[in-house]
Amino acid sequence: MRGQHTWSEIQSQPEVWEAALERASEAGRHAAQRWPLVDFSEALFVGCGSTHYLSLSAAALCHRLTGLRSRGLPSSEVFLFPEYSLPAPGASPLLVAVSRSGETTETLLALRAFRERFPGPALTVGNYPESALVRQCDAALVVPEGREESVAQTRSFTSMLLSLQVYLGLAAGNGTYVESLRALPGAARTVLERDSEPLQQLGGDGRFETIIFLGSGPFYGIACEGMLKMKEMSLSHSEAYHFLEFRHGPKSIVTQRTLIAALLSDGAREQELRVLQEMRQLGATVLLVADEVPDATDAYDVVAYLGSGLPEAARLPLCLLPLQLLAYGRALAKGLDPDRPAHLDSVVVL
């Protein structure tokens, strides 16, 4: 059956998240105690593909929760252009290397480039406990339950993101935040049970030629991951932008055959809704992913209601579920197998 592994992996996320919460609580507490973040000048989050996008959101969360200057970078930039990407000599950075397999060549080379310049520790986040990155880093957040048969990441991505949320909350001494994350598995079950079918149907609607993903602040990396899932699974034209940046040229591609999937934030919701109102006037259909349904009904056509009651810094993994279902439904509607995207392998080894 086409897509059976991807479907199982999407639907299993509530259980995988419960495992991630338990595993990250122990490993994250150990790492936070061993290396207090006050000892570092900045944090560098690196990854490739999906894990690069994860790094963008993780860096935003790190800065928000801990106050530490944080950046998300593609692993290749670190070893190809260290003079542009790494801090100046004398700095004391923390490296966080994110990789599902722990075997991605570019991330291993980024770790090597970091080690050549800084004595500071490196933390890895992944799903395979015996991987090269786990062996070579000083500490690891590993969730074996997040491993996948599919090439495109779904539960691996969200389990790694949740692990980092737990670690950053512990490093910030924010027990309330860490405890709030325990609401995520239950909220995920509700979303999956209620919205799996309608979101697949929306994704499979043949009217749409282009799918745009919008997200700002910590949601930008999530929007990029939604874009990548759509490309990988369904071979569709998809793009990702910050909300207000979309006005600066990219909106010229909007037609009546454009679907916009928009991740609504807490702090910028009014400005974001105005962008969506404008895009609907240009002909776009808007799927709004929101924790609370806004009064501005002219800003969206369909809403994926999360209803978690969590602040934006906590609910990021939950926001990915509608985007994964959208891509999955489109792949099936096009007769494709989302388990095996064209030209892709689970691990990129150079």
Side-chain angles (χ1 to χ4, degrees), residues 28-106:
R29 184 173 292 106
H30 173 74
Q33 291 173 348
R34 186 176 177 188
W35 301 294
L37 291 185
V38 294
D39 293 345
F40 301 108
S41 58
E42 65 179 286
L44 301 173
F45 294 81
V46 300
C48 304
S50 285
T51 53
H52 166 51
Y53 299 141
L54 195 161
S55 294
L56 294 177
S57 286
L61 286 176
C62 184
H63 183 71
R64 170 67 180 84
L65 292 169
T66 71
L68 184 66
R69 181 175 183 262
S70 305
R71 291 184 287 149
L73 298 167
S75 296
S76 57
E77 292 291 292
V78 174
F79 72 85
L80 291 175
F81 300 98
E83 65 275 20
Y84 292 94
S85 59
L86 290 175
S92 53
L94 168 69
L95 183 75
V96 181
V98 189
S99 171
R100 170 174 60 177
S101 67
E103 303 288 346
T104 303
T105 302
E106 289 146 271

Side-chain angles (χ1 to χ4, degrees), residues 102-120:
E103 303 288 346
T104 303
T105 302
E106 289 146 271
T107 304
L108 289 166
L109 290 173
L111 173 63
R112 181 188 301 175
F114 178 83
R115 294 282 199 209
E116 289 173 352
R117 292 163 176 80
F118 302 104

Side-chain angles (χ1 to χ4, degrees), residues 49-266:
S50 285
T51 53
H52 166 51
Y53 299 141
L54 195 161
S55 294
L56 294 177
S57 286
L61 286 176
C62 184
H63 183 71
R64 170 67 180 84
L65 292 169
T66 71
L68 184 66
R69 181 175 183 262
S70 305
R71 291 184 287 149
L73 298 167
S75 296
S76 57
E77 292 291 292
V78 174
F79 72 85
L80 291 175
F81 300 98
E83 65 275 20
Y84 292 94
S85 59
L86 290 175
S92 53
L94 168 69
L95 183 75
V96 181
V98 189
S99 171
R100 170 174 60 177
S101 67
E103 303 288 346
T104 303
T105 302
E106 289 146 271
T107 304
L108 289 166
L109 290 173
L111 173 63
R112 181 188 301 175
F114 178 83
R115 294 282 199 209
E116 289 173 352
R117 292 163 176 80
F118 302 104
L123 169 70
T124 189
V125 186
N127 298 114
Y128 289 81
E130 304 302 323
S131 71
L133 273 173
V134 170
R135 294 194 303 270
Q136 294 179 29
C137 286
D138 302 284
L141 303 174
V142 180
V143 186
E145 293 81 359
R147 290 179 289 191
E148 295 156 330
E149 293 291 332
S150 301
V151 173
Q153 296 191 27
T154 53
R155 70 185 183 191
S156 62
F157 186 104
T158 55
S159 66
M160 289 186 288
L161 176 57
L162 182 53
S163 296
L164 276 170
Q165 289 178 283
V166 172
Y167 163 67
L168 292 171
L170 292 168
N174 191 337
T176 300
Y177 173 78
V178 175
E179 188 60 29
S180 74
L181 299 175
R182 297 192 175 277
L184 285 169
R189 288 189 181 92
T190 299
V191 171
L192 290 169
E193 290 170 3
R194 184 191 61 219
D195 293 341
S196 286
E197 184 174 347
L199 285 169
Q200 288 179 79
Q201 291 176 349
L202 179 63
D205 192 323
R207 291 177 298 160
F208 303 122
E209 293 180 339
T210 302
I211 301 91
I212 304 296
F213 295 84
L214 299 181
S216 296
F219 294 106
Y220 177 64
I222 305 302
C224 290
E225 172 63 5
M227 172 271 295
L228 185 59
K229 291 288 89 66
M230 186 62 71
K231 284 185 189 293
E232 290 176 331
M233 289 191 198
S234 76
L235 309 183
S236 298
H237 178 204
S238 56
E239 302 181 18
Y241 298 94
H242 299 86
F243 268 88
L244 272 63
E245 280 297 302
F246 191 60
R247 282 192 177 124
H248 293 269
K251 73 175 183 179
S252 62
I253 69 172
V254 171
T255 70
Q256 292 183 341
R257 306 198 71 174
T258 302
L259 174 64
I260 295 177
L263 303 167
L264 192 65
S265 72
D266 296 337

